[in-house]
Amino acid sequence: MTARKIVVALGGNAILASDASAQAQQRALRETAKYLVKFIQQGDSLIISHGNGPQVGNLLLQQVAGNTPDNPAMPLDTAVAMTQGSIGYWLQNAMAAELADLGIEMDVATVVTQVVVDENDPAFDTPTKPIGPFYTSKEVADIQSANPEFQFVEDAGRGYRRVVPSPRPIGVVEAGAVNQLVNAGIIPIAAGGGGVPVIRHGHELIGCEAVIDKDFASEKLAERVGADQLIILTAVDHVYVNFNTPKQQQLTAVSVDELQQHITDGQFAAGSMLPKVEAAIEFVTHRPEGQAVITSLTNLGQFIETGSGTVISAVNVETNV
């Protein structure tokens, strides 16, 4: 088999379950590494991206709890960079240990990655992404008096949460550095948590209060590094239509046109499967010679061996590749 360049996008919930301690997340990543090294064993070049939703949420809680005039809470773009570093640190050590156990000499490096967004993206006018803790109406009034630019929404009767924009990525600043690492035989961990959202102002990159969807950021990274395959990991082995109904049907090999029709038919939930499907479509549209795959972490072995999972191609296909 010809060696491929593969971007694997891990979900933040694959790292953190009920136990938010560093030790528990490190143990989870060691298990994750056992699956990821299978790509190295078959000769592929691997780039790892990951989510950070639970982790950045916990960090924001800690920031709020410790916020004082002398020790102010860090802005959101910095919090994303902080979780890129912490998760990358855990993951690169987990990968290095697993590679060493297999007798594979290979370095792993975390790249704190900036992802460019358009300051005119309409998402900045309609913030929708909830972040941080729940507040009472009284707490919201106090916070908004000090931060009039903050916006809040009521969330399912549990209180109010701040919402921030979720703009689409248009570039990955460190894509060239990631490619250089791959070419040097190093496994990069990049675009963690959707990347640090930045806006270009001349020669400067200015961080902004936003959260980029990690699937779209992973797609943009895969596109910019010229990946052969983008693998988006989620909780299920396949994408389904008529999910959780008697007519449920898994999708195996599927084309962009077919997926577009399923989107039109309202088959995919906006908060879960839809962004993954849209990111997959975007990747194979920009790289028609490539493939996007949506499956679960625990199914990676079966995918590598048999092609099990949902494989998306730019044109109609009859069987999994």
Side-chain angles (χ1 to χ4, degrees):
M1 178 184 291
T2 304
R4 298 165 299 174
K5 185 186 296 181
I6 298 175
V7 173
V8 176
L10 297 171
N13 287 310
I15 306 163
L16 171 61
S18 57
D19 187 344
S21 70
Q23 293 81 3
Q25 294 182 75
Q26 287 169 304
R27 285 194 298 270
L29 284 169
R30 186 62 196 270
E31 290 303 308
T32 296
K34 295 180 188 298
Y35 294 99
L36 296 179
V37 296
K38 295 179 186 294
F39 292 105
I40 303 301
Q41 287 177 295
Q42 71 170 8
D44 293 321
S45 296
L46 180 64
I47 300 166
I48 307 168
S49 66
H50 61 81
N52 72 341
Q55 293 81 7
V56 80
N58 287 345
L59 178 58
L60 289 169
L61 285 170
Q62 294 162 4
Q63 292 280 312
V64 169
N67 184 37
T68 67
D70 293 331
N71 185 31
M74 292 294 104
L76 182 54
D77 58 316
T78 301
V80 172
M82 292 163 74
T83 55
Q84 279 194 22
S86 60
I87 296 171
Y89 156 60
W90 295 332
L91 182 52
Q92 68 185 36
N93 283 346
M95 287 292 293
E98 191 61 31
L99 290 164
D101 284 351
L102 295 170
I104 301 172
E105 292 187 9
M106 200 167 195
D107 290 328
V108 188
T110 298
V111 180
V112 175
T113 312
Q114 301 170 96
V115 174
V116 182
V117 297
D118 184 349
E119 63 182 331
N120 296 314
D121 190 307
F124 284 109
D125 296 325
T126 54
T128 58
K129 180 70 174 175
I131 62 166
F134 290 90
Y135 297 103
T136 66
S137 57
K138 171 66 167 62
E139 288 171 327
V140 167
D142 291 341
I143 294 168
Q144 284 194 306
S145 67
N147 303 276
E149 74 279 9
F150 284 10
Q151 296 188 43
F152 294 83
V153 296
E154 196 276 330
D155 191 341
R158 294 176 292 174
Y160 294 83
R161 294 181 77 190
R162 185 184 168 199
V163 288
V164 298
S166 186
R168 288 292 185 101
I170 59 174
V172 180
V173 177
E174 289 78 19
V178 170
N179 248 346
Q180 289 186 54
L181 289 170
V182 171
N183 293 338
I186 298 168
I187 301 171
I189 301 167
V196 179
V198 295
I199 294 169
R200 286 194 185 277
H201 283 178
H203 296 297
E204 286 190 273
L205 294 168
I206 310 298
C208 57
E209 293 282 293
V211 173
I212 302 170
D213 183 281
K214 66 96 180 167
D215 295 314
F216 290 124
S218 299
E219 184 285 321
K220 191 58 64 179
L221 175 65
E223 179 190 323
R224 293 302 168 90
V225 301
D228 300 297
Q229 208 166 56
L230 168 65
I231 301 177
I232 299 173
L233 299 181
T234 185
V236 291
D237 295 348
H238 295 80
V239 178
Y240 291 85
V241 292
N242 303 312
F243 187 59
N244 272 344
T245 74
K247 294 183 178 180
Q248 175 175 295
Q249 179 185 356
Q250 68 181 27
L251 302 178
T252 53
V254 61
S255 70
V256 166
D257 287 346
E258 292 173 80
L259 278 183
Q260 292 282 17
Q261 185 59 54
H262 291 315
I263 291 173
T264 300
D265 295 339
Q267 285 287 348
F268 309 123
S272 56
M273 189 57 74
L274 182 59
K276 294 170 174 47
V277 169
E278 289 180 331
I281 289 172
E282 214 163 294
F283 176 68
V284 297
T285 299
H286 286 100
R287 286 190 58 76
E289 69 278 23
Q291 285 183 332
V293 180
I294 301 175
T295 190
S296 67
L297 176 67
T298 54
N299 194 54
L300 274 184
Q302 281 298 307
F303 167 71
I304 290 170
E305 292 178 18
T306 68
S308 171
T310 298
V311 180
I312 299 101
S313 301
V315 296
N316 289 317
V317 285
E318 296 181 357
T319 58
N320 283 319
V321 177

